[in-house]
Every structure is written in C-alpha cells, then in structure tokens.
Amino acid sequence: MGRYVIRRLLQMIPVFFGATLLIFLMVNVMGDPIAGLCGDRQCDPATATQLRKEFGLDKPLWQQYVTYMGNVFTGDFGTAFNGQEVTELMASAFPVTIRLTIVAILFEIVIGITLGVVTGLRRGRPVDTGVLLVTLVVISVPTFVTGLLLQLLLGVEWGWISPSVSPEAPFDELIVPGLVLASVSLAYVTRLTRTSIAENRRADYVRTAVAKGLPRRRVITRHLLRNSLIPVVTFIGTDIGALMGGAIVTERIFNIHGVGFQLYQGILRQNTQTVVGFVTVLVLVFLVANLLVDLLYAVLDPRIRYA
Amino acid sequence: MRGATHARWAACAAAVALAATACGDDGGGDSGGGDGSGIVSSSWGDPQNPLEPANTNEVQGGKVLDMLFRGLKRYDAKTGKANDMLAEKIETSDSTNFTVTVKSGWKFSNGEAVTAKSFVDAWNYGASLKNNQKNAYFFGYIDGYDKVHPEDGSKQTTDTLSGLKITGDNTFTVKLNQKFSTFPDTLGYSAFSPLPKAFFDDHAAWLNEPVGNGPYTVDSYAKGSVMKMRAWAQYPGEDKAQNGGVDLKVYTDNNTAYTDLMAGNLDLVDDVPASQLKNAKSDLGDRYINTPAGIIQTLAFPFYDKAWDKDGMEKVRTGLSRAIDRDQITETIFQKTRTPATDWTSPVLGEAGGFKEGLCGDACEYDPDEAKKLIEEGGGLPGGQVKISYNADTGSHKEWVDAVCNSVNNALDNDKACVGNPIGTFADFRNQITQSKMSGPFRAGWQMDYPLIQNFLQPLYYTNASSNDGKWTSAEFDKLVNEANAETDQAKAVDLFQQAEEVLRDDMGAIPLWYQNGSAGYSERVSDVALNQFSVPVYNEIKVS
C-alpha cells in the first residue's frame, strides 16, 4: 500500500508539469494580452512595452514558463491585470466553489445512492421505471436550461429563493445551484448504484448473509451496499474535479464568484497568470481526488490489494 | 469497526443537507425611508484595471471614479456642457497658456485640503511612464510630456511635466505644446481628478480603499464582488448624494442582474442584456431608460492595405455605406437602442457642440441600386469579397455584422460579396488591429472621453492619432483640425471641425453605422434615475423611497 501511494505520487509530477505547460502554451497562442487592456483604443506603445515588461511577457515563452513554475513553488502565482495577486483571487474563489461542490456531492451521495438502492432492490417495479425515466430526462436536459428554469420559477415567480447568490455565498444560498450543478451526475450515480446493487443482489455472499438470518437492513448496508459502491465511488471521486472546474455555467447563472467565474474572466481577458494558476490548482485537485478514490477501493473491499 | 464509522459519516452528511434547506434572505440592501438614507443596490462589472483616475479606461471603473471624485470641471448630465466644479476660473489669452484657480474650501474625505498641488501631483503621476497609467496620453497636450513619457519607450529624463507650475496655494499654470482652445472643457474627464497625499504615501493601501473628494466615500471594497459606497456627510459640493449610499455588486452575467431586478433584489441595472431588450419595455414600463450616449459604432478600413487605398476606392467605400440598411438593423436587431448615424459624432453633443444631423448626406442613405453602381464604378470589391472582422467573445457583434453583410449581399445580388470574420477574443482582435493585419473592414467603436466634437474626430482620424486604427490620412483634414484647435471662438471652431468631417465624408474614411444608447432599468424602490452621456447612472441624484 505504501509503495503504491508513493508510486502514485511520483506519477503526479509529469502530469502536473505536462498539464500546466499545455495550458501555458494554449493561453499564449491567443496573442498579446496587452492589446486588449486599453479598451477600444490602442495602448500607447511606451506604456504597452512597460506593461509587457512588468508581466514578463517580453521574454521567450520557455523562459516565461520556467520563471512561472519557479515562482509557483514559492507560492507566488503572479498578479492579475487588475493588480490583484492571483493567490488573493484564489483565496476568494476556491472556498465558494468548494462549498458549492460539497453541496453538489452531498446531493449525489444522499439522493443518488438512496434512489439507486431503492430502484436496484425493486427492479422492474413502477418505482424503478419512474426513477429511470426521470434520470433520463435530467441527463438529456442541459444544465443551463435546468438552472435558468429553476432560477426563474423559484426565484422570480414564487420568490422562494434569491435568484442570485450573495458574495459571501453561504451554504443555504448554494442549495439550488448545488442541485443544478449536481443534477446530471446525480442521475448517473442513481443509475450506477442501481445496476451495481441489482447485480450484487444475486451474489453468493448476499445469499449467505440472508441464509445466516441477518436482518434485511444489515444485509443491505453492510454486505450489499458496501460492495456495490466501488464503481459509484470511482465516479464521485472523479466528479469532484469535474464539478470544481466545470461549474462555469452554474456559476454564471447564479452569480457565484467562484473558480468557474475567475477562469472565464481570465480567459476573456487573456490573463495567463490567472488561468494557469487556477488550472494548476484544479489539476492538483483532480490528482488528489483520483488518488483518494484508489485508496478508498481498498477500504471498501479488502479483497483488493495493491502491491 | 470501520463500517460503523462510515455509516456515522453518511448520517452526518444527510443531517447537514437537511439542516441547510432553509433558504436565507437576500442581501438586497437596507430599506431606509424617504429621508435620504436608503441604500441603492446597483449592478457592476469587475473593473479591468486598478482603480486609479489615470489608469481607468472602461465604464465599470469609471462609475466608481464618478462617485468618488470631482474634478475642475463636471459635465452636465443633461446637456453635456462642461461646467466649473472645483475650478474658480480657467483663463487664457493665447489658447496655449492657461491659469487655473482652484476653489478653496474643498477637502478629500480624509480631511486633507484640495489644493493646486493635489492636481499638479496627480497629473504628473498620470503622465509619468514609470507608473504605467493607461490614460497617460490625456496629458499629451501638456508641455514636457515627451520628457516624462518618451514615445519610443526610452528612459524618461524627468518625473514632472515642465508645463505645470504651482503659482500659489490654489493656483497653477498649464502650458500646452500646441494651441488647444477647448482644453479646459476636457478637464471634466476623470483622468484629471486631484489626488490626496495618501495616494502617494501608501499606494497599495489607497488602492484597497480609495479616498477621493466626491459625494461618496468607500465603505468597504471586496475586490471582484462588491463595493459599498456611502454618502459623505461633510461633502462641500452642491451635488450632495440624495441617497445613503450605493452598493455596487459584481455580476457574473448581466442576465442574472436583470433577473435579480425582476425578483426585487436589485435596484438598478445599467446594462440591459440584449436578449431582454424585447421584454424590457413591458417588464419595466417607465422604469426602462433608453437614452443617447456618446458612443458611435463605425466600420473602419485598413488603409495600410494597398487594395483599400487605391484611387477609386472611395467610391467602393461609399457604395458599401449605401448598401447598409441602418434603419432596419437598428430596429430589428437592436430594438431601437441604436439610432442610424448620419454624421461621425454623437447627438449628445447637441447642435452647438458640433453634432450635425445629415452631414453624411446621401452617402449614409440606404440605396441598393446606387450602392451597386458606385462599387462597380470604383472597380469592385477588392478580391471580389469583403470580410468584416469583429471579436466574437463579447458584445454580441455577430448578429449585426451578419445583418450588415446580408444587407450588402442583397444590394449586390451576390450572396458571397460580404461575410463576417469572427476573431476569438477581444485581445486578439485588438492585436491584429494594432499590428495592421486587417485585410478588410473591421468593427470600430468610440466612446467619447469628453463631450467635444474634437474628441470624435482627432483621436480617430488625424494622421497617426492614437486611435486611428485604419491609418486613414488626409492633409486637408489635419489642417482643418489644427485650425479648429487654435480657434478661440467656439462656434467658429465647431464649424472648422465640421468642415474636416466633410473631408472625411468625401473620402469615406470610415463608415458611420449608428449611435449607441445607454439602456437601464430600475426598481420601484428608487426614483430620479438617469444616465449621463457616458451611459453611467447619475448615482448622487437617485432617491430611495
């Protein structure tokens, strides 16, 4: 197990450098960011040169990358064009997005797995068909449609929630956005759990457990569910990264000043420092989440052993 | 008992989810009575640059500066006339040397007095190359600018403008490097605001919480999310805030801001999203504002490209202008938030200020037959096709460019005569323009810095001017502009500028498309809402009921 963890950690290094380098190259291909800084008019050449020097844009790309990575290891992610430290932007954006992700993941776990267990145990019954139909609808409707509809209905028509989230973004305001963000994944979690449960229900160890006379509740939670959760955990684990980076649509709709919004602004303004900084952190989140998933396997199913 | 801990964890998670279902109130602002203490909540966009007077060149940062600062002059929100604000008087006898007297009794909100030095220091700071101020070119008319801001980027030899001299506590003189009779009228622009000593002493602290001399002070500023401005009780000016303060809230999307206005969570949206323009009138009734702003949209041409600059091309350019059905496009695509342009300025200048309806004449009138004839006479479109370039990331330019092309194609009976050429990002679009890489007409827009006809012509069409993106050049035009700037009689100066504009028309240096309006909507809680000519709400006039 220990060696496995170390090997996984070592694998993260090339992935980390590769991903950041790619992002660095892609943002730079878009051209000179200073050109867009002065609005619909040209920056005067002297100021433009000066700004380019200040942001290090006058150096060759490889040198920019080396300097950048060097700084990153000392915790310096550079400065955005509006004079704010990128770390400062992160400090304000990540907590919000993490809260949003937690809400979304909780919905996935609580609603998704419950529905999955219920339908998995009642395959072919009306409940099962009904839930399957609903999940199909959720999967096929794009997030921005669900988001805008809920915002309009709950926020404007019925006035149950505020259509936009305040800058502090406390948990209670994030419930509807979190549900919207989670919706598609939630449907997948339901379907995954359902299939997995239905499959394992006929497994020998479940039959043995029932034959031993264990209470039904114990059979389901300890024996059936625990083994059926492996694919679901894999999915939710990878989803953590996807939710954090992919919340752009939801964050825009509900006015959440999180990672998605900062990334979007960074790309629009071609702010290399912001984009690369945020992506670097997201890459790390992905890597750590995947590592955790792999470690959880062993916890869930002791039969799985890593050399 | 690993399993048991898992179950407990799941139970906790469920409990958190349940406990959190209560939906909280919004932060929609306090509801003060009609006593002037109510807080207005208004939509805002994240400013692109640090908030310094000489470094802010877009509307979002401009809004804050407008609340935070008062300069020597201030433009009347209705007429656009430059009235004295902090200026007691500004005198000149030769249009080159000006003596400025600052009114006494004005203070910054930290108690510091506003003196001649506050202005001179601020202007020196703004002009100095080492401070990277994006509006530095505003000080380009002042003598000595080339020393503090060398055009070629070489090392500046001094930090102060030789044209500025403090002659007393409240007086200073300005020497310009050329005759510029309307110079005092430019001083209402926020780049010319005074700055307190605190700005220079601790710059970083000032940026976190700017201090100015206007009717509002900054109460708190959470960068990227909300700026709370509060009325300053000791403000000495006559335009005191009629409300208790303004909360500027950053929105990720102006559609969300509009939805918030509809839901009663927001008082003021000063940028109604294009997709909502259709509904705005019925949603808001009288609370929808659609008034002219000092913005004109044009199509510029790459005059550095031989194909667009050869003889006879003026006929092609005029032909293109005549092939565009401006009336139809402004009505169907812009829902009348644009007005077809008939000159190269803006209606907000007023007739006395230089706006002349119909100056463009036939050349801006839609006539497909005549358009076709002109383009053929001029030798046809270069390469048989025009590509109109625009940036596709913001501002929904695609719709109107496609409509313009459609109109041109119809006029020429050729569905390949004109196509749109989207460019991914605004930065890349500007990049291609500054590097003179455009191969055909491209979108150009101009938001005035100050309501003067000079500002609509000189920066855009004067030879090698800062925003002459198409590199159009005409000795005749330059001569007339120079004469106009030297003319002290305002009416005569305007007349000379209009003659210059006629030169521009005859050569069709850029096709005027339409004047842009400012559009805004507000809630029932507030009244006396208006937009000034810069399409910025006049915040201090807003009353909260």
Side-chain angles (χ1 to χ4, degrees):
Chain A
M1 190 78 178
R3 266 178 65 195
Y4 174 74
V5 173
I6 291 173
R7 214 171 64 204
R8 283 299 308 267
L9 286 173
L10 285 177
Q11 277 174 5
M12 282 162 76
I13 297 172
V15 175
F16 178 74
F17 281 103
T20 45
L21 180 65
L22 267 181
I23 292 296
F24 213 85
L25 291 174
M26 284 197 271
V27 178
N28 271 278
V29 167
M30 285 154 59
D32 180 10
I34 301 295
L37 267 190
C38 292
D40 263 325
R41 70 181 92 217
Q42 195 180 331
C43 286
D44 74 281
T47 311
T49 321
Q50 181 105 343
L51 284 170
R52 230 168 264 134
K53 202 185 285 169
E54 192 180 299
F55 291 112
L57 296 164
D58 54 338
K59 301 209 178 67
L61 191 57
W62 67 269
Q63 212 174 326
Q64 285 183 41
Y65 180 69
V66 171
T67 326
Y68 181 82
M69 288 320 279
N71 287 341
V72 163
F73 283 107
T74 57
D76 175 11
F77 282 87
T79 316
F81 290 145
N82 66 355
Q84 256 180 299
E85 299 272 321
V86 175
T87 44
E88 203 182 310
L89 290 176
M90 288 179 182
S92 69
F94 270 101
V96 175
T97 298
I98 288 173
R99 278 201 291 276
L100 182 64
T101 312
I102 290 176
V103 174
I105 296 278
L106 279 180
F107 271 119
E108 284 180 24
I109 293 174
V110 176
I111 303 184
I113 295 182
T114 315
L115 282 179
V117 171
V118 170
T119 52
L121 293 174
R122 292 180 176 69
R123 268 185 87 173
R125 307 261 190 86
V127 191
D128 181 35
T129 327
V131 171
L132 271 186
L133 266 177
V134 173
T135 52
L136 188 67
V137 171
V138 172
I139 291 172
S140 51
V141 176
T143 322
F144 70 89
V145 177
T146 345
L148 285 173
L149 263 178
L150 281 182
Q151 183 185 43
L152 200 68
L153 285 178
L154 301 178
V156 182
E157 293 295 320
W158 302 333
W160 291 359
I161 60 161
S162 155
S164 69
V165 170
S166 64
E168 298 79 29
F171 271 112
D172 56 351
E173 288 182 23
L174 290 174
I175 288 172
V176 175
L179 184 60
V180 170
L181 180 62
S183 57
V184 173
S185 304
L186 199 156
Y188 282 120
V189 168
T190 309
R191 294 188 147 214
L192 263 177
T193 319
R194 170 185 175 271
T195 318
S196 193
I197 290 265
E199 219 172 75
N200 287 333
R201 204 155 66 114
R202 283 189 293 271
D204 293 345
Y205 63 86
V206 176
R207 219 177 39 202
T208 312
V210 176
K212 270 198 299 186
L214 286 181
R216 184 179 154 83
R217 201 184 166 77
R218 196 163 164 80
V219 174
I220 292 172
T221 51
R222 286 301 308 276
H223 295 263
L224 182 53
L225 189 56
R226 186 162 160 185
N227 279 286
S228 309
L229 275 184
I230 293 180
V232 181
V233 166
T234 317
F235 179 81
I236 294 180
T238 43
D239 209 35
I240 292 176
L243 289 179
M244 287 190 84
I248 296 186
V249 175
T250 318
E251 293 194 352
R252 249 181 96 87
I253 294 175
F254 291 99
N255 192 37
I256 300 169
H257 300 267
V259 172
F261 171 63
Q262 292 295 351
L263 265 178
Y264 174 77
Q265 288 243 312
I267 291 169
L268 267 194
R269 292 177 182 175
Q270 241 178 293
N271 207 328
T272 324
Q273 315 274 332
T274 325
V275 178
V276 182
F278 275 84
V279 171
T280 306
V281 176
L282 283 178
V283 167
L284 284 176
V285 171
F286 259 101
L287 291 174
V288 171
N290 271 308
L291 180 67
L292 285 179
V293 166
D294 287 353
L295 298 182
L296 259 183
Y297 280 169
V299 177
L300 282 171
D301 188 347
R303 286 176 305 178
I304 302 178
R305 284 278 176 260
Y306 296 104
Chain B
M1 286 303 284
R2 207 186 277 137
T5 47
H6 272 280
R8 203 177 300 143
W9 182 77
C12 287
V16 169
L18 285 174
T21 41
C23 292
D25 263 344
D26 60 286
D30 318 343
S31 52
D35 56 354
S37 65
I39 308 290
V40 181
S41 58
S42 173
S43 70
W44 195 32
D46 200 15
Q48 195 175 5
N49 302 309
L51 283 174
E52 302 166 275
N55 205 12
T56 298
N57 56 3
E58 36 80 57
V59 179
Q60 304 305 338
K63 279 182 202 169
V64 177
L65 295 181
D66 192 56
M67 285 189 257
L68 203 57
F69 283 103
R70 287 294 178 261
L72 290 169
K73 294 260 186 181
R74 183 162 174 81
Y75 303 114
D76 186 289
K78 288 198 183 65
T79 63
K81 196 174 173 308
N83 297 321
D84 284 345
M85 192 76 208
L86 263 71
E88 179 97 44
K89 54 184 189 250
I90 302 174
E91 294 168 318
T92 181
S93 51
D94 57 359
S95 298
T96 309
N97 289 290
F98 295 83
T99 308
V100 181
T101 312
V102 183
K103 278 179 194 160
S104 53
W106 279 76
K107 279 191 167 56
F108 291 102
S109 58
N110 63 1
E112 225 180 293
V114 183
T115 62
K117 193 170 168 353
S118 315
F119 285 96
V120 173
D121 285 352
W123 297 7
N124 278 329
Y125 182 89
S128 178
L129 175 59
K130 67 171 189 220
N131 297 325
N132 288 342
Q133 303 285 294
K134 295 179 191 77
N135 283 340
Y137 62 93
F138 274 93
F139 307 97
Y141 296 105
I142 300 172
D143 208 28
Y145 178 73
D146 51 340
K147 297 281 191 303
V148 301
H149 199 113
E151 200 64 19
D152 55 1
S154 59
K155 196 140 175 58
Q156 64 189 88
T157 46
T158 169
D159 286 346
T160 49
L161 290 158
S162 59
L164 294 177
K165 285 210 172 58
I166 299 172
T167 51
D169 266 1
N170 286 321
T171 52
F172 66 101
T173 59
V174 186
K175 183 169 184 285
L176 303 184
N177 49 27
Q178 65 184 83
K179 282 181 186 289
F180 187 7
S181 56
T182 44
F183 173 72
D185 287 353
T186 68
L187 297 177
Y189 189 68
S190 58
F192 294 102
S193 301
L195 285 170
K197 247 181 104 267
F199 177 88
F200 304 97
D201 291 346
D202 191 348
H203 191 221
W206 191 91
L207 284 182
N208 281 330
E209 216 174 289
V211 171
N213 66 331
Y216 290 94
T217 57
V218 177
D219 185 53
S220 68
Y221 180 21
K223 280 184 186 153
S225 55
V226 66
M227 186 171 211
K228 295 188 171 171
M229 313 281 291
R230 291 294 171 264
W232 178 32
Q234 282 99 47
Y235 176 66
E238 276 165 17
D239 53 340
K240 272 193 197 310
Q242 301 298 308
N243 46 56
V246 179
D247 284 353
L248 296 169
K249 296 174 164 181
V250 175
Y251 276 87
T252 49
D253 187 350
N254 58 0
N255 276 298
T256 312
Y258 189 80
T259 312
D260 249 1
L261 176 70
M262 289 291 102
N265 283 331
L266 190 71
D267 293 326
L268 176 60
V269 169
D270 63 351
D271 177 21
V272 178
S275 54
Q276 301 286 1
L277 286 173
K278 270 201 301 285
N279 319 326
K281 190 81 200 141
S282 56
D283 282 349
L284 295 162
D286 293 346
R287 292 178 285 118
Y288 169 60
I289 306 176
N290 179 18
T291 49
I295 306 171
I296 183 169
Q297 302 288 346
T298 58
L299 279 184
F301 293 97
F303 284 92
Y304 40 78
D305 184 343
K306 261 270 143 286
W308 282 101
D309 196 27
K310 60 181 189 236
D311 277 342
M313 284 311 284
E314 72 280 356
K315 283 196 173 159
V316 176
R317 293 191 293 266
T318 312
L320 279 174
S321 168
R322 302 206 66 175
I324 301 169
D325 190 347
R326 294 173 178 76
D327 287 314
Q328 203 198 359
I329 295 172
T330 49
E331 202 157 306
T332 52
I333 293 184
F334 292 119
Q335 305 289 331
K336 295 191 176 168
T337 56
R338 308 282 191 278
T339 313
T342 57
D343 79 340
W344 280 260
T345 67
S346 163
V348 301
L349 293 180
E351 271 185 38
F355 168 65
K356 191 167 177 185
E357 196 173 351
L359 183 134
C360 184
D362 290 345
C364 291
E365 257 158 47
Y366 176 60
D367 186 339
D369 298 333
E370 193 64 23
K372 194 173 180 184
K373 214 174 99 198
L374 276 167
I375 291 176
E376 275 163 14
E377 276 175 24
L381 300 170
Q385 190 182 47
V386 282
K387 280 187 176 169
I388 301 182
S389 301
Y390 60 94
N391 58 308
D393 56 347
T394 48
S396 37
H397 298 301
K398 184 187 182 337
E399 282 91 345
W400 70 257
V401 170
D402 287 349
V404 165
C405 272
N406 206 7
S407 184
V408 170
N409 290 344
N410 285 342
L412 299 182
D413 288 328
N414 172 3
D415 60 3
K416 292 206 174 60
C418 175
V419 289
N421 175 35
I423 295 173
T425 60
F426 180 67
D428 195 19
F429 176 67
R430 287 300 314 169
N431 214 5
Q432 298 194 18
I433 289 173
T434 42
Q435 292 178 2
S436 301
K437 277 191 183 157
M438 289 291 172
S439 57
F442 53 95
R443 165 188 99 72
W446 182 251
Q447 165 140 30
M448 66 175 186
D449 302 312
Y450 26 79
L452 286 179
I453 184 171
Q454 179 265 354
N455 192 239
F456 279 94
L457 299 177
Q458 194 169 359
L460 290 158
Y461 308 112
Y462 195 84
T463 303
N464 286 329
S466 57
S467 291
N468 190 345
D469 289 333
K471 307 275 178 228
W472 181 75
T473 171
S474 154
E476 178 72 10
F477 179 89
D478 294 356
K479 190 177 87 86
L480 286 162
V481 166
N482 286 340
E483 282 174 23
N485 276 332
E487 180 58 60
T488 44
D489 180 355
Q490 169 126 30
K492 280 187 192 151
V494 163
D495 191 53
L496 283 163
F497 274 121
Q498 283 171 345
Q499 287 178 34
E501 212 179 329
E502 282 163 13
V503 175
L504 176 65
R505 173 195 64 196
D506 294 340
D507 198 39
M508 196 49 84
I511 298 178
L513 293 172
W514 32 75
Y515 312 118
Q516 187 168 325
N517 286 3
S519 57
Y522 55 94
S523 72
E524 279 161 356
R525 268 185 79 224
V526 293
S527 57
D528 293 81
V529 182
L531 296 177
N532 66 16
Q533 295 91 350
F534 303 94
S535 72
V536 169
V538 189
Y539 286 105
N540 57 298
E541 301 277 318
I542 299 175
K543 291 196 178 83
V544 184
S545 59

